[in-house]
Amino acid sequence: MATVPPVIELCRRVYGESGPVVFGWANAAHLLGAGASAFLGATARDVFGAYDVVWVALSAGRLVAALLAPAVRATLVKVE
């Protein structure tokens, strides 16, 4: 919960009056992703008998996120 106030303030600064709505959508996406990851991870464990597939899939997702981070930053700079 300690990260919520700074993220709300960041959304407010970048998106102005729409900041709370942007934060709400980002939070909802985060929660849906966390739930899906937990469900799919448990399903993969049941099917494959190990978490190896889960670790590889999540590592690939993190790599994609890291590669997309500069694009997000460039977009935010244009918005300001």
Side-chain angles (χ1 to χ4, degrees):
M1 294 305 289
T3 61
V4 172
V7 173
I8 290 173
E9 178 62 18
L10 178 64
C11 288
R12 188 193 63 75
R13 286 185 185 184
V14 173
Y15 296 102
E17 293 294 320
S18 298
V21 174
V22 172
F23 173 78
W25 280 108
N27 193 38
H30 175 79
L31 292 175
L32 288 172
S37 293
F39 176 77
L40 293 173
T43 301
R45 170 68 167 90
D46 288 346
V47 171
F48 299 110
Y51 287 109
D52 296 341
V53 174
V54 177
W55 295 122
V56 170
L58 291 176
S59 296
R62 289 183 183 113
L63 178 62
V64 169
L67 294 173
L68 290 174
V72 171
R73 177 150 176 83
T75 302
L76 289 176
V77 170
K78 289 179 185 176
V79 170
E80 291 176 3

